[in-house]
Amino acid sequence: MGTDVAEDAPDWFRTAVAITPEHSSTTVDGARITFRSWGERGAPGLILVHGGAAHAGWWDHIAPRYAGSRRVVALDLSGHGDSDWRDTYRIATWADEVAAVADVAGAADDAVLVGHSLGGLVGIRASIAHPDLVRDLVLVDSRILDAAGLAEIQRNQPHEGIPRGNKTYPTLEAALDRFRLVPDHASLDFARAYVARQSAVRDGDGWRWKFDRGFADELRDLPPRPPKSVRLSVVHGEHGVMTPAMVEQVTGHLDEPARVVELPGAGHHVMLEEPLALMDVIDEVLAERSARSQNPVG
């Protein structure tokens, strides 16, 4: 994967993406779910969940930082990356995929889940459906949706007139030239270029994006707030999609005050804009989790 790195990428980025993860898969509800993992099986888990129209490779420059002390796993949700597509998608099914992958990968013990955008909604659902797995949750600029908000996202999905499947491009270069972040915002060019290259796959005589454009068409099972016992951290961009009202919606009822970090100048795609700042927050969360595990009283 290191061959896909731009010449101007900093050393820390080059070092991270040069570390080849384990590539594996498991079957969940009839679909093959692919995932990447780093670190030793059985170590405390760190579960990374991408956003809509993204894939596990969005975490390649972040995951290796934690492989020395954590079993890190990043999955392709169904309809994304190299995982199978489904006829319909449910947040609850994606949450089950997260739990199954964590178990198969050996990352379910003492785990922390980090979810970006849609991945944060999946994380909330997982904290409800799989409370033994998700007790520490980090939401990264997740738009907390009501029915009207979901309908808006579904209207704005980049279907380009194609009800399902994906548009094909004659060459890889033509596809990459069309790569867009939605919503778009200034990002680190080397990080954006890296995930863009991993987002395209050959399909017959052409190239297409590695996600099902219908992944949000029939979503209805919007997760409510996480359980009040969840230890929650929220990272959002100053110009991201997560509003103060959304932050209050998911944090106001918790037993413990949430960690809330706004990144000045950042937009929605935090790991491509401010990855070092995001990792600083994850560092703090993991340090607190480790301290509690070593001294569980109180």
Side-chain angles (χ1 to χ4, degrees), residues 5-298:
V5 181
E7 292 183 359
D8 63 343
D11 288 343
W12 72 263
F13 186 93
R14 289 179 171 277
T15 299
V17 300
I19 298 173
T20 303
E22 303 169 34
H23 289 262
S24 309
S25 66
T26 189
T27 300
V28 182
D29 194 22
R32 178 176 175 266
I33 305 301
T34 56
F35 60 92
R36 307 173 185 203
S37 48
W38 299 256
E40 296 295 324
R41 291 183 61 89
L46 176 60
I47 305 164
L48 306 173
V49 188
H50 62 76
H55 51 77
W58 283 56
W59 300 104
D60 278 359
H61 58 299
I62 291 175
R65 180 182 181 117
Y66 306 102
S69 60
R70 290 261 163 183
R71 177 63 166 174
V72 188
V73 62
L75 74 157
D76 293 320
L77 298 172
S78 56
H80 296 77
D82 296 320
S83 289
D84 285 347
W85 294 4
R86 299 185 185 275
D87 292 334
T88 57
Y89 298 94
R90 298 286 182 268
I91 293 176
T93 305
W94 285 330
D96 289 344
E97 292 170 9
V98 168
V101 165
D103 182 57
V104 170
D109 293 339
D110 203 25
V112 172
L113 188 149
V114 181
H116 171 242
S117 192
L118 175 65
L121 302 184
V122 175
I124 293 175
R125 177 62 70 190
S127 74
I128 297 167
H130 305 280
D132 291 339
L133 174 65
V134 185
R135 297 175 181 173
D136 283 77
L137 176 61
V138 182
L139 303 181
V140 183
D141 210 64
S142 292
R143 183 174 184 177
I144 309 303
L145 298 170
D146 56 15
L150 178 60
E152 179 183 349
I153 283 182
Q154 290 169 337
R155 286 194 303 271
N156 291 333
Q157 284 301 315
H159 285 283
E160 299 181 8
I162 303 172
R164 290 299 293 269
N166 231 314
K167 181 177 180 178
T168 58
Y169 299 86
T171 66
L172 175 60
E173 291 71 21
L176 296 181
D177 187 58
R178 292 293 302 163
F179 183 79
R180 299 288 186 274
L181 298 176
V182 181
D184 207 357
H185 192 266
S187 58
L188 298 173
D189 289 343
F190 58 85
R192 179 186 180 120
Y194 179 83
V195 301
R197 176 60 188 87
Q198 290 198 65
S199 300
V201 63
R202 184 178 289 280
D203 187 357
D205 294 331
W207 293 79
R208 64 166 176 81
W209 301 120
K210 294 167 66 173
F211 68 91
D212 181 353
R213 292 178 183 272
F215 74 86
D217 281 354
E218 298 184 41
L219 291 183
R220 296 291 183 271
D221 56 332
L222 296 169
R225 302 178 300 183
K228 65 179 183 178
S229 59
V230 165
R231 289 177 286 266
L232 183 65
S233 297
V234 176
V235 186
H236 65 104
E238 177 186 7
H239 305 296
V241 302
M242 196 171 196
T243 66
M246 293 175 188
V247 173
E248 175 62 24
Q249 180 180 338
V250 293
T251 63
H253 67 296
L254 299 172
D255 288 341
E256 297 182 21
R259 173 189 286 101
V260 179
V261 179
E262 180 180 276
L263 300 181
H268 177 56
H269 300 91
V270 173
M271 68 277 286
L272 304 185
E273 300 176 33
E274 295 286 350
L276 296 177
L278 174 58
M279 288 189 279
D280 285 344
V281 177
I282 297 174
D283 288 348
E284 294 176 4
V285 173
L286 295 182
E288 290 185 5
R289 176 73 186 194
S290 295
R292 285 194 302 268
S293 298
Q294 295 169 9
N295 183 23
V297 178

